Amino acid sequence: MEEEELECPNSASEKRYFPESLDSSDGDEEGILACEDLELNPFDGLPYSSRYYKLLKEREDLPIWKEKYSFMENLLQNQIVIVSGDAKCGKSSQVPQWCAEYCLSIHYQHGGVVCTQVHKPTAVQLALRVADEMDVNIGHEVGYMIPFENCCSSETILRYCTDDMLQREMMSSPFLGSYGVIILDDIHERSIATDVLLGLLKDVLLARPELKLIINSSPHLISKLSSYYGNVPLIEVKKQHPVEVVYLSGAQKESLESILRLIFEIHQSGEKGDIVVFLACEQDIEKAYEIVCQEGSNLNPDLGELVVVPLYPKEKCALFKPNDETEKRCQVYQRRVVLTASSGESLIWSNTVKFVIDVGVERRKVYNPRIRANSLVTQPISQSQAEIRKQILGSSSSGKLFCLYSEEFASKDMRPLKPAEMQEANLTSMVLFMKRVDIAGLGHCDFMNRPAPESLMQALEDLDYLAALDNDGNLSEFGIIMSEFPLDPQLSKSILASCEFDCVEEMLTIAAMVTAPNCFSNLPHGAEEAALTCWKTFLHPEGDHFTLINIYKAYQDIALNSTSDQCVEKWCHDYFLNCCALRMADVIRAELLEIVKRIELPCAEPAFGSKENALNIKKALLSGYFMQIARDVDGSGNYLMLTHKQVAQLHPLSSYSITKKMPEWVLFHKFSISENNYIRITSEISPELFMQLAPPYYFSNLPPSESKDILRQVMDHLSPLSTMKKEPKMCEKCPETTEQRCTIQ
């Protein structure tokens, strides 16, 4: 501890709202701590470090700090408090700490504090930051919970978690009894889980009058929140200083060229500061990355070299936890250029950004319930999103925002608010959750924006096909078991089916690999041929699902036999595989296996490699994904969906595309309508197998097509044999139903 940094905080700045319970002084008559005495941290009983006082000064400079007294007054007197503030005002880090002080003052009699975040990296970064500011250990007094990672303990007072994790916690604890204060952050992101929590917590608050709810939001959503929750206190954090905005009308048509020109002009100007570029989609990130890297090497070396940081949708943590190599590069080089297509929330913690370039459009996934597929639609961002991107420069008086659109475009073409995800996404998982909590009497949810009736009907229909609902429309025993898995319902059903077909180990591997990010690395220019040569070693003749098992098994073998992580990373690099994705798949698989053991599902010994095992894996997959079948209608790789008339091609990285062997019938994992209508992660199936496993009433609801006629012929051929078939064996955990919907039932 450096003695010169240890200062006695003045009484005004360090005064806590509950001095009688939080003051750790020895009760001298004057009530003033001498500077030579060490003040104790009330959360762990240890003396504060010098770093605590250094960070305290930074906290006091945050715009939110001036509102602490007002917030604490309202927290004491009200059950709900809304906090409105721009990005970087400090509401996500300071409000939870103040709530922890409140809980400490009442001796945690109602529980601790939980703060939700939409993005996983943000939850982790905030927990690390707040643990540092509170001068406690991460994982003890402060922790975080994100999908497939829990860094909390029984001592945790304040936990950050993703909104979907708190939602899942309601399945086992509907009234969230372990928490005295719940903070919903990033409300303006309008994720499905956050909107569901907003509705369900209305009932929870009525059942638990002692529970406090804090809602953090950007100013744009305040009027909607106020009308939704009624007359509740509002804490408004004053806006920070204005940012210089430069509108470049006409640049949107040639946005990539305009962006590249701006990057190089800024760099050649000599002005210091990092650049953040908001692009429309991942493909634009890849194009810009390649060009900036190529052209940047030809720039004047006296200006310093550009360090290009691409942030792909599932890799938003690049700015949060830089490795040692990145730190060294950032010390040597002068400027980072961050290329992203995210909302900007993942960049809030970077204080080195001085320039933002915003293209003003984004590529969004919009779900079409009629065809059960996402469409990738390029459309203008909302005014609230544009404002958040501007706020990245909120603490920089010399920052500039370059908008590649006109002011007229911003006012006329941009919607005021970001659309609620609930109105644009597949709702099957949400409806399964709502059916689960309906057991606890919380099923009637008052949503801020009601989902489209067509989407709800499609979700209910899919759950019925999957046998998750009983004849009365309530959750069946099958559905209850399916809801235990933090997966898409179709994938959960395939895992349950694998218990019947003795391939649980293999199905868990497939589930982990398709849930984790893409295991194939983004290829640098010119490396395509070498990568394909490496990937061919993993190909399996039965299809992509089996190839994923081969990749995971090879990774496991290397991980078990290697002496260090560097050896594993080198192997992944040599084979053009994403090491982080494979590690995540390993973690996901371990948690799924733990769930299987906890609910005591039967788990046979792995038998991967045999013909019988391959057939069983396909049966398990078909039990969940019978709605995702396509047929090659002309023998040249044009696949027509069974449920609608969309035509798609196999993805270039599919094992069938690489080997040039196109099966007639395939089961696919993903399909999106875009410029390239690719079906991803495909495996060959036979029409006979499909007819044996698909529910009869699902087949009868299929639209007329040549493919349906072929399947009907197959069904007619199989029907004389159906009476000779033995009854399917039953799993002890899988309930019988009065209506035979699927072979495994």
Side-chain angles (χ1 to χ4, degrees):
M1 186 181 294
E2 297 177 5
E3 189 175 342
E4 63 273 17
E5 288 187 13
L6 182 59
E7 299 176 1
C8 183
N10 64 53
S11 57
S13 64
E14 178 54 358
K15 176 186 175 184
R16 291 192 175 87
Y17 191 72
F18 304 102
E20 67 277 8
S21 60
L22 299 184
D23 191 2
S24 53
S25 64
D26 57 2
D28 59 357
E29 293 181 1
E30 297 182 2
I32 300 175
L33 286 173
C35 287
E36 60 267 23
D37 292 336
L38 292 177
E39 185 183 6
L40 297 181
N41 187 334
F43 292 103
D44 62 8
L46 299 174
Y48 283 124
S49 67
S50 59
R51 179 167 175 77
Y52 168 80
Y53 297 112
K54 179 183 177 182
L55 293 176
L56 180 61
K57 290 180 179 179
E58 294 178 13
R59 293 167 63 192
E60 290 169 349
D61 291 334
L62 292 170
I64 189 78
W65 192 266
K66 297 173 184 175
E67 308 298 331
K68 180 175 182 180
Y69 183 85
S70 173
F71 173 81
M72 297 305 257
E73 285 279 6
N74 280 288
L75 180 65
L76 272 178
Q77 298 170 10
N78 300 276
Q79 196 175 16
I80 304 174
V81 180
I82 297 176
V83 179
S84 165
D86 293 337
K88 284 192 171 182
C89 73
K91 62 183 185 296
S92 298
S93 60
Q94 302 311 303
V95 168
Q97 294 187 60
W98 300 341
C99 292
E101 291 182 16
Y102 162 77
C103 289
L104 176 64
S105 71
I106 58 173
H107 308 292
Y108 309 111
Q109 57 183 307
H110 306 309
V113 181
V114 63
C115 179
T116 66
Q117 297 293 319
V118 173
H119 303 296
K120 291 187 288 186
T122 314
V124 176
Q125 177 64 18
L126 280 167
L128 292 169
R129 173 71 182 181
V130 167
D132 199 16
E133 290 183 355
M134 291 176 65
D135 209 19
V136 296
N137 294 321
I138 189 71
H140 291 272
E141 291 79 13
V142 176
Y144 62 86
M145 287 191 308
I146 60 176
F148 307 107
E149 187 176 353
N150 185 356
C151 184
C152 294
S153 68
S154 57
E155 302 171 2
T156 303
I157 300 159
L158 166 59
R159 65 185 66 195
Y160 283 87
C161 70
T162 50
D163 49 6
D164 57 330
M165 291 298 289
L166 187 62
Q167 178 185 288
R168 286 196 64 79
E169 192 171 338
M170 292 188 76
M171 293 198 311
S172 56
S173 177
F175 297 100
L176 299 171
S178 358
Y179 305 114
V181 181
I182 296 173
I183 305 165
L184 299 183
D185 205 353
D186 289 345
I187 296 294
H188 50 272
E189 288 284 328
R190 299 309 305 278
S191 69
I192 290 178
T194 292
D195 274 12
V196 168
L197 286 169
L198 278 170
L200 291 180
L201 285 173
K202 279 189 169 185
D203 291 332
V204 175
L205 289 168
L206 290 174
R208 292 186 58 202
E210 76 283 359
L211 178 65
K212 306 286 187 177
L213 174 63
I214 313 301
I215 302 173
N216 285 348
S217 178
S218 66
H220 307 84
L221 201 61
I222 293 306
S223 59
K224 195 172 184 68
L225 278 170
S226 298
S227 60
Y228 181 63
Y229 268 106
N231 186 24
V232 297
L234 172 64
I235 306 294
E236 292 186 274
V237 182
K238 292 181 181 178
K239 290 188 176 182
Q240 302 173 61
H241 57 76
V243 170
E244 182 181 350
V245 181
V246 180
Y247 291 97
L248 301 172
S249 56
Q252 205 170 42
K253 294 179 181 178
E254 47 181 31
S255 60
L256 196 56
E257 292 82 359
S258 302
I259 286 167
L260 296 171
R261 187 168 59 250
L262 270 172
I263 290 172
F264 296 131
E265 284 177 2
I266 291 169
H267 188 58
Q268 289 170 346
S269 72
E271 292 184 66
K272 295 188 179 296
D274 292 336
I275 305 170
V276 172
V277 183
F278 287 100
L279 296 160
C281 59
E282 187 173 336
Q283 289 77 11
D284 288 351
I285 294 175
E286 291 172 354
K287 289 177 188 174
Y289 177 74
E290 187 176 332
I291 297 172
V292 175
C293 287
Q294 286 177 352
E295 298 295 326
S297 59
N298 301 323
L299 295 173
N300 184 350
D302 294 338
L303 294 172
E305 189 174 344
L306 290 177
V307 179
V308 189
V309 183
L311 293 188
Y312 295 102
K314 288 197 176 181
E315 298 170 1
K316 294 180 185 175
C317 54
L319 284 187
F320 285 99
K321 295 196 232 176
N323 56 31
D324 294 338
E325 184 63 27
T326 307
E327 289 288 355
K328 289 175 186 174
R329 290 177 71 193
C330 291
Q331 291 169 10
V332 174
Y333 302 134
Q334 190 173 9
R335 193 190 311 276
R336 285 187 297 184
V337 178
V338 181
L339 307 174
T340 182
S342 73
S343 64
E345 290 295 324
S346 55
L347 298 161
I348 294 301
W349 287 92
S350 178
N351 292 316
T352 59
V353 178
K354 302 294 181 183
F355 305 94
V356 171
I357 302 172
D358 183 10
V359 73
V361 295
E362 64 178 346
R363 184 170 292 180
R364 298 176 63 83
K365 283 184 180 179
V366 180
Y367 186 71
N368 186 337
R370 294 182 181 179
I371 60 175
R372 292 183 172 86
N374 286 311
S375 296
L376 293 177
V377 181
T378 301
Q379 57 187 212
I381 61 173
S382 67
Q383 293 172 7
S384 61
Q385 287 173 285
E387 184 65 25
I388 287 174
R389 294 177 178 187
K390 180 166 66 173
Q391 290 164 12
I392 291 174
L393 299 165
S395 60
S396 173
S397 57
S398 59
K400 285 185 182 179
L401 168 65
F402 296 93
C403 299
L404 304 190
Y405 50 85
S406 63
E407 287 187 79
E408 184 181 7
F409 177 86
S411 60
K412 291 185 178 180
D413 295 316
M414 289 182 177
R415 289 175 284 190
L417 297 173
K418 181 179 179 180
E421 187 184 3
M422 188 175 289
Q423 296 178 316
E424 296 185 337
N426 185 345
L427 301 180
T428 310
S429 293
M430 184 206 81
V431 172
L432 179 65
F433 167 77
M434 295 300 293
K435 288 286 183 182
R436 174 67 185 263
V437 297
D438 192 38
I439 298 169
L442 296 174
H444 305 288
C445 189
D446 176 20
F447 294 114
M448 191 152 57
N449 287 92
R450 298 207 56 86
E454 191 176 21
S455 296
L456 284 174
M457 289 303 297
Q458 175 265 318
L460 287 166
E461 186 178 54
D462 285 3
L463 290 175
D464 192 38
Y465 287 146
L466 294 168
L469 304 179
D470 61 22
N471 292 334
D472 297 322
N474 300 315
L475 208 60
S476 67
E477 292 183 52
F478 248 114
I480 292 172
I481 299 174
M482 284 167 59
S483 68
E484 288 292 322
F485 292 93
L487 301 171
D488 178 87
Q490 290 173 280
L491 202 49
S492 301
K493 181 63 178 290
S494 291
I495 291 177
L496 285 185
S498 69
C499 299
E500 302 296 330
F501 299 121
D502 296 331
C503 56
V504 174
E505 291 284 343
E506 294 82 2
M507 197 61 233
L508 290 179
T509 299
I510 292 172
M513 290 293 281
V514 298
T515 304
N518 186 4
C519 66
F520 298 105
S521 296
N522 290 300
L523 299 179
H525 184 67
E528 293 84 357
E529 190 174 338
L532 285 177
T533 302
C534 291
W535 293 341
K536 280 180 181 178
T537 61
F538 304 114
L539 296 186
H540 195 289
E542 297 291 348
D544 297 339
H545 296 88
F546 298 82
T547 296
L548 291 177
I549 296 177
N550 277 343
I551 292 172
Y552 179 78
K553 285 172 68 68
Y555 165 77
Q556 261 202 328
D557 290 342
I558 292 295
L560 289 172
N561 297 321
S562 296
T563 55
S564 65
D565 290 342
Q566 286 75 16
C567 296
V568 179
E569 289 170 4
K570 182 181 184 305
W571 177 82
C572 290
H573 181 267
D574 292 344
Y575 280 89
F576 299 93
L577 297 174
N578 186 333
C579 190
C580 290
L582 289 169
R583 282 176 180 154
M584 177 57 69
D586 206 25
V587 171
I588 292 171
R589 192 186 185 283
E591 180 161 329
L592 295 178
L593 182 60
E594 188 178 322
I595 294 171
V596 166
K597 291 178 178 177
R598 174 168 55 81
I599 57 182
E600 298 180 352
L601 294 175
C603 189
E605 288 295 318
F608 186 66
S610 68
K611 286 187 177 180
E612 183 183 4
N613 179 257
L615 180 62
N616 286 340
I617 292 172
K618 289 183 180 182
K619 287 180 178 179
L621 285 168
L622 262 170
S623 299
Y625 288 92
F626 53 82
M627 289 178 273
Q628 294 180 195
I629 305 297
R631 172 176 163 261
D632 186 354
V633 291
D634 56 9
S636 61
N638 290 313
Y639 285 87
L640 185 69
M641 308 290 134
L642 198 56
T643 52
H644 51 81
K645 294 185 179 180
Q646 290 290 337
V647 177
Q649 285 73 42
L650 298 177
H651 191 271
L653 293 183
S654 170
S655 57
Y656 300 120
S657 298
I658 295 173
T659 58
K660 309 298 183 187
K661 296 178 181 178
M662 303 295 177
E664 183 181 2
W665 295 84
V666 294
L667 174 149
F668 60 90
H669 182 69
K670 279 194 280 189
F671 168 65
S672 292
I673 300 172
S674 59
E675 298 93 351
N676 301 312
N677 283 3
Y678 289 137
I679 47 178
R680 299 167 185 261
I681 313 179
T682 55
S683 290
E684 182 179 9
I685 56 113
S686 67
E688 291 81 10
L689 198 61
F690 171 81
M691 291 309 300
Q692 289 173 19
L693 289 161
Y697 61 100
Y698 167 73
F699 174 75
S700 63
N701 288 338
L702 289 174
S705 67
E706 182 186 2
S707 299
K708 185 174 181 179
D709 293 339
I710 294 171
L711 290 171
R712 185 173 283 111
Q713 292 173 13
V714 170
M715 181 175 64
D716 293 340
H717 177 70
L718 290 175
S719 57
L721 303 174
S722 61
T723 56
M724 300 169 59
K725 287 194 300 184
K726 294 181 180 179
E727 288 294 316
K729 64 177 181 176
M730 298 295 296
C731 157
E732 292 179 5
K733 285 284 176 178
C734 298
E736 295 186 36
T737 58
T738 55
E739 179 182 357
Q740 183 168 352
R741 305 184 178 205
C742 181
T743 298
I744 67 164
Q745 291 180 270

